[in-house]
Amino acid sequence: MNVSEIEQFLNTEFDGFKVELRTDQERGDIILGRPPYNVIAMSQREYLRQVFEALDAHPGVRVIVLRAEGQHFSSGGDIRGFLEASPEHVSKLAWNVAAAERCSKPVIVANRGYTFGVGFELSLACDFRIASETARYALPEQNLGQIPGSGGSARLQKMIGITRTKHMVMRAKRVSGEQALAWGFVTECVPDDELESATDALVEELRRFSPLAQRTAKKLINDNEDSPLKVAIEMEGHCYSRLRSSADFKEGVEAFHAKRPAVFKGE
């Protein structure tokens, strides 16, 4: 799709969420909009994937933000929808939820209040999680006789280890934003009235960097998550060598020596 077609798609009236395109700030926001609990319908997940892909393809967007209206990020999915969905549909849920992880651009999520089930899984697929002190994280599927099905336990275990993951998954325990920061699965934990300003500040911080270097770093780090150390170091070297020939690296070096801000173009 060209830019006009992308923007036309992003202006669609989506079920359960909306999109705000702020090209003057080089950001695109996905806003869950079914308060008070922002329950995520089965059909909504497919559209969320498509919107992440569209924002990733938009040349005027450098940073993607996922946030929600109201006091809660999301209490999770529509439970009845699981009983009504076909096995084929259910088999695609993890792929749709992982859309933020597949984006080449950085993705920030702002969490407050309930961040449960698929809401938590969506958040875990993002690059930066900013938590309000009101945030409560949980994978409560054991209460339904189920387990997380869209990458929740798998991603969490990579971040916090097997013991804490069993605590959250097998006991369906809730974890506060402050505890999440201590355990290492959120980037920042801030007072609730500072959540939006903290998110805006991170957007502005990430905009300063080279889009090419950001894309390279994200893909390298994600790919190296499952690589042996020797392979990971080798891949880092290849990526470093590739960036040395970029116009952005040349601009960064020249700006450093001239003691001026660099102007990166992603080339």
Side-chain angles (χ1 to χ4, degrees):
M1 292 190 291
N2 59 38
V3 175
S4 178
E5 290 171 332
I6 291 172
E7 291 184 351
Q8 184 177 359
F9 170 67
L10 293 174
N11 284 327
T12 301
E13 189 171 331
F14 297 103
D15 177 33
F17 71 98
K18 63 182 178 181
V19 180
E20 283 187 4
L21 194 60
R22 307 189 204 175
T23 52
D24 59 320
Q25 299 174 38
E26 298 179 303
R27 67 186 277 181
D29 288 34
I30 302 171
I31 307 163
L32 303 183
R34 193 179 279 121
Y37 298 114
N38 293 312
V39 173
I40 298 172
M42 295 291 283
S43 59
Q44 190 176 337
R45 305 176 197 212
E46 172 69 18
Y47 285 113
L48 283 168
R49 175 189 66 78
Q50 293 176 19
V51 167
F52 272 115
E53 291 172 352
L55 288 172
D56 201 36
H58 195 297
V61 172
R62 282 201 185 186
V63 182
I64 300 169
V65 176
L66 176 62
R67 53 191 177 91
E69 296 177 358
Q71 297 179 349
H72 301 286
F73 179 74
S74 173
S75 63
D78 177 12
I79 295 172
R80 188 177 298 277
F82 282 99
L83 298 177
E84 298 170 350
S86 68
E88 182 180 10
H89 190 167
V90 172
S91 70
K92 296 178 181 177
L93 295 182
W95 175 256
N96 291 336
V97 167
E101 188 175 75
R102 292 194 303 274
C103 285
S104 63
K105 298 170 182 176
V107 182
I108 303 167
V109 62
N111 298 134
R112 61 162 40 98
Y114 294 163
T115 305
F116 296 170
V118 70
F120 189 13
E121 291 178 307
L122 279 167
S123 300
L124 287 170
C126 297
D127 302 303
F128 302 95
R129 284 164 290 284
I130 302 182
S132 155
E133 290 176 347
T134 69
R136 296 295 181 270
Y137 295 95
L139 293 168
E141 288 83 357
Q142 287 286 308
N143 294 315
L144 302 174
Q146 256 294 5
I147 63 170
S150 298
S153 61
R155 286 193 177 87
L156 196 59
Q157 185 171 339
K158 289 280 189 179
M159 296 177 188
I160 66 174
I162 189 170
T163 300
R164 288 169 172 166
T165 301
K166 285 180 178 178
H167 171 77
M168 291 193 70
V169 174
M170 297 178 69
R171 302 175 70 189
K173 289 293 187 179
R174 299 181 183 184
V175 169
S176 69
E178 291 180 342
Q179 188 67 66
L181 180 64
W183 282 7
F185 69 82
V186 303
T187 310
E188 299 178 43
C189 182
V190 299
D192 190 61
D193 61 359
E194 296 178 16
L195 183 61
E196 283 73 25
S197 61
T199 302
D200 294 345
L202 182 53
V203 170
E204 291 305 307
E205 178 186 331
L206 295 173
R207 284 179 63 199
R208 289 194 307 105
F209 301 123
S210 158
L212 179 59
Q214 287 275 291
R215 292 195 299 269
T216 302
K218 176 172 178 173
K219 179 165 176 50
L220 174 68
I221 294 167
N222 284 352
D223 288 351
N224 279 349
E225 181 73 11
D226 299 313
S227 300
L229 179 59
K230 183 177 180 180
V231 173
I233 292 172
E234 184 174 353
M235 289 304 300
E236 185 177 283
H238 285 309
C239 290
Y240 178 85
S241 177
R242 175 172 166 263
L243 285 175
R244 283 193 61 179
S245 63
S246 71
D248 275 358
F249 178 66
K250 182 174 183 291
E251 164 64 13
V253 171
E254 290 177 353
F256 176 81
H257 287 292
K259 294 182 170 52
R260 62 170 175 81
V263 180
F264 295 118
K265 298 180 180 179
E267 301 172 351

